Amino acid sequence: MSLEDDIEKARAILRGARSIAVLTGAGISAESGVPTFRGAEGLWKHFRPEELATPYAFARDPALVWEWYGWRRLRIKDARPNPGHYALVTLEQRCEPFLLITQNVDDLHKVAGSRRMVRLHGSLWESRCLGCGEVFEDRAAAVEGVPRCAKCQGMLRPNVVWFGENLDEEILDQASNAAATCGAFLVVGTSGVVQPAASLALIASRHGARVIEVNPDETPLSHACDVALRGSSGSLLPRIVS
Ligand code: BJW
Ligand code: ZN
């Protein structure tokens, strides 16, 4: 089958679905200039994730972890949504029920206008107090040492989900329910190796949803897909949603 045929097949699946759920990963923001995590140009290239994106790393050296998050904020502070993000807004406006489930912490879906959305791994633009639990919106890119809570002076941490930490139970339930009940599941720009996010595509497939993947590369989820569109989400999503 040609790419054109696959695009037509994906369109037909989306048109015919009673409800749609979408899982996105770092790849959807690649064309906005946000580095992905894995692969040749991956964000982890100069840093080992086990060293920095874990609660143990933060306990050992919170200033180093904050320095890395400050560097990442600086890298993406001017990033804007791309046509892939906007295509998902269009899809949301056309479909009910609909849920966008993102692993991304860059908030570009929100900036694009997505509303029926859950964030599995938190936000790069929030910090959370280890003392009182308060969550602060926080856009500081130059982080000096370890920032402190304005209310209780407790230590702040990035409000993201690190390896070995549980995802928010309510959010995960919402995502799992959407995966188990949707007619079509779209999986975009994720390497499909991080759990429990990756298993959402398998839940959808097991419950009878038609699964569409948009990714330039094959992933461990590809075998569960009815259609695998090989290419960038910035060019393919607008074509399957139009
Ligand atoms: C394009 C493109 C373009 C490029 N267009 N596409 C079961 C089995 C084994 C292990 C586990 C398990 N269950 C849990 C675990 C442990 C662990 C895990 O999954 N480990 C695996 C790596 C083995 N999971 C956890 O610890 C999770 N917690 C949990 O499960 O709690 C319960 C528990 C605890 C302990 C033990 C067991 C259970 C938490 C996971 C948190 C992940 N956090 C991070 C960091 C967030 C904060 C931050 O940003 O700093 O989330 S890690 C990182 O990976 C980030 C991402 O959201 C996540 C996924 O990455 P993503 O989005 O897929 O990006 P990439 O870079 O990997 O892929 C990009 C893709 O885009 C590629 O495929 C490209 O081809 C494609 N692409 N350009 C479209 N233009
Ligand atoms: Zn506090």
Side-chain angles (χ1 to χ4, degrees):
M1 277 231 299
S2 71
L3 179 63
E4 283 308 318
D5 292 337
D6 282 337
I7 287 173
E8 200 37 62
K9 194 172 165 193
R11 273 189 181 142
I13 290 173
L14 293 179
R15 247 187 272 122
R18 63 184 183 285
S19 64
I20 296 175
V22 185
L23 173 70
T24 64
I28 194 169
S29 295
E31 290 155 275
S32 294
V34 178
T36 59
F37 289 88
R38 299 166 185 86
E41 294 304 314
L43 188 59
W44 302 127
K45 208 166 127 192
H46 304 291
F47 307 88
R48 291 182 46 213
E50 313 81 46
E51 278 171 19
L52 295 178
T54 74
Y56 318 106
F58 190 75
R60 198 172 48 236
D61 193 346
L64 175 68
V65 172
W66 264 117
E67 187 186 330
W68 183 54
Y69 279 90
W71 172 80
R72 286 174 55 194
R73 284 178 177 177
L74 194 64
R75 269 214 64 163
I76 73 164
K77 72 178 173 42
D78 297 323
R80 301 289 308 154
N82 67 60
H85 296 102
Y86 290 115
L88 295 182
V89 179
T90 306
L91 191 62
E92 172 180 340
Q93 286 162 353
R94 249 180 32 196
C95 183
E96 166 70 47
F98 174 95
L99 189 68
L100 170 57
I101 305 157
T102 188
Q103 300 171 79
N104 297 346
V105 297
D106 57 35
D107 278 2
L108 289 179
H109 285 301
K110 196 168 135 199
V111 176
S114 288
R115 291 297 170 258
R116 284 179 273 159
M117 175 186 65
V118 290
R119 295 179 314 203
L120 293 177
H121 295 157
S123 170
L124 191 63
W125 303 110
E126 288 174 1
S127 53
R128 185 171 83 238
C129 177
L130 291 177
C132 67
E134 182 84 11
V135 172
F136 298 92
E137 193 169 325
D138 180 2
R139 301 194 76 82
V143 181
E144 291 271 328
V146 182
R148 295 271 166 183
C149 175
K151 288 197 168 161
C152 78
Q153 287 305 305
M155 208 189 264
L156 294 181
R157 60 160 282 179
N159 193 27
V160 297
V161 181
W162 286 323
F163 285 114
E165 293 186 316
N166 285 314
L167 278 66
D168 180 288
E169 209 174 311
E170 214 172 289
I171 289 176
L172 187 58
D173 276 354
Q174 223 183 315
S176 306
N177 284 338
T181 55
C182 66
F185 191 88
L186 190 53
V187 46
V188 184
T190 178
S191 56
V193 296
V194 173
Q195 299 297 348
S199 62
L200 293 169
L202 307 178
I203 292 176
S205 166
R206 244 181 270 129
H207 283 80
R210 311 289 301 278
V211 183
I212 303 165
E213 176 174 67
V214 178
N215 197 311
D217 295 331
E218 197 177 324
T219 76
L221 303 176
S222 302
H223 71 92
C225 296
D226 296 277
V227 189
L229 297 173
R230 295 280 164 249
S232 82
S233 47
S235 66
L236 288 171
L237 285 179
R239 292 177 69 188
I240 64 173
V241 163
S242 71

